[in-house]
Amino acid sequence: MIMKYDKMVAITQAESQRKMNIAKNTISDMLKNMERITVAELVKRTGLSRGFFYKNPTIREELDNAIKTQGACY
């Protein structure tokens, strides 16, 4: 039983890391291409939920920094 739990935790963590990589790469690409970064556009491009971008502290920080960086562009 414990082995199954450990395996489930490992799978969940791997999936979370995969989603974070997708989000970070998309934010980075949008910054490089000088495209306006919005949560709505990120949801469209990544297929991840709005809540993911707001609730995940790592991604939220990356998103906020990218938007601040873009402030000079717009």
Side-chain angles (χ1 to χ4, degrees):
M1 188 75 165
I2 292 199
M3 215 183 299
K4 286 184 181 179
Y5 175 77
D6 291 341
K7 190 172 183 176
M8 286 184 345
V9 169
I11 290 170
T12 302
Q13 287 175 342
E15 180 66 12
S16 179
Q17 189 62 46
R18 184 187 71 80
K19 288 178 181 179
M20 286 175 52
N21 288 339
I22 290 170
K24 285 181 180 182
N25 290 339
T26 304
I27 291 169
S28 176
D29 289 345
M30 289 178 77
L31 264 177
K32 268 189 241 168
N33 296 331
M34 304 275 299
E35 297 173 279
R36 185 157 190 200
I37 298 173
T38 63
V39 173
E41 186 62 28
L42 287 169
V43 167
K44 220 184 288 182
R45 290 182 185 209
T46 63
L48 302 171
S49 69
R50 292 179 76 80
F52 177 81
F53 290 100
Y54 289 115
K55 292 179 183 176
N56 186 309
T58 306
I59 297 302
R60 180 63 195 228
E61 183 179 348
E62 184 125 354
L63 176 62
D64 288 343
N65 290 337
I67 291 172
K68 283 179 191 171
T69 301
Q70 278 193 328
C73 298
Y74 294 100

